Amino acid sequence: MPNEPRSSSALGELAWVFLKLGTIGFGGPAAHIALMEEAVVRRRGWLTHAQFLDLLGATNLIPGPNSTELAIHVGHARAGWPGLLVAGVCFILPAMLIVMAIAWAYVTFGTLPAITGMLAGIKPVMIAIVIQALWGLTRSALKTRFLAVLAAAALVASLLDAPELGILFAAGALMAFRRCLGDRKPPDRNMAGFALALGPAFAAPPSAMGLTPFGLWPMFWFFLKVGSVLFGSGYVLLAFLRTGLVERFGWLSEGQLLDAIAVGQITPGPVFTTATFIGYLLGGPVGAVVATIGIFLPAFFFVAVSGPLVPRLRQSPIAGAALDGVIAASLALMAAVTLQLTRTAWVDPLAIGIGVISILCLIRFKPNPAWLITAGALLGVASELIRRG
């Protein structure tokens, strides 16, 4: 990739572009990537289309939020190490500030009918969006029968409360091992049982479960770990947050987690700014900043160190097989947490109706999810106002 200017004017233009993209980037990672391609390839010519696709491919080989990592890659290609920092920070900053403002309103006015109704209407739509995204991702990711069996085994392991990291590691290791053996035969019961058995082997000891006193450093390390290991769609974040913050630490309720995910959906920028909202709920403005830094810091690190390795990784059959296994397990985690959260979100006929209609609209018309979220919010507010008379 050719050397690019690193002057203050180049950094200023880079900052402006990604501040704008971070402010208007509704619709999730796919929409973010399309906006970046239009801005940096078609409009400004900073990269060729082939170079942009190379960077996009590189983001799929490392954990973390793909669209944020793509922004960081573009910044590095445009203006070196300073550009890496400027592009990433400017893409994250608008979403972080917007989410912090919403979190302040949530904490301050959370009992108002408008806030309560809005979130009640958004939650079933959010579940519908996750279901639709899961369906699309599964169709493209589970390319073989073996991957489908592996994903099913990971789903069962997750429902049996095996830890996410153990499931991901087991799936990746099994696929790499299978590739090393050159086994191209259809999956059998022994293979599926091995994948299922490995998940509980990584289970946390009972002493690690239960309520844990809240602290900024424990929260930072939790989000740093999540940002360091999360492959696949940002929706897989749900599984990690529910297990860690609701079940293991007891810092959040199921309802607060759904509210946090909903806020991540209705705001522009990375879905990972859900961590900003959670950090604010737990530790105020300082907690919001700490959680945001924790979950996004690994993305900067992985982009910085993976650049020279990307060509070798992409050519490695074993690394590719391991990545396929990790992605299959990630989708299983996403499915497990969707099943659990649906029971919390679709709690009455109105919520069920909003959810079902949202799924049908997504399948038939493929609208921007922001429109469905807005409609769900308006229906929820109207329902709450009518109920309170």
Side-chain angles (χ1 to χ4, degrees), residues 20-35 91 98 102 263-271 368-371 373-374:
K20 179 181 178 182
L21 292 177
T23 303
I24 66 171
F26 290 93
H32 302 163
I33 291 167
L35 289 171
F91 184 63
I98 292 169
I102 294 175
V263 169
Q265 291 293 317
I266 65 174
T267 51
V271 175
N368 187 319
W371 291 109
I373 292 169
T374 301

Side-chain angles (χ1 to χ4, degrees), residues 52-75:
F52 184 83
L53 288 176
D54 283 344
L55 296 182
L56 179 58
T59 64
N60 292 319
L61 296 174
I62 55 178
N66 285 353
S67 58
T68 303
E69 288 168 344
L70 182 58
I72 298 170
H73 269 300
V74 171

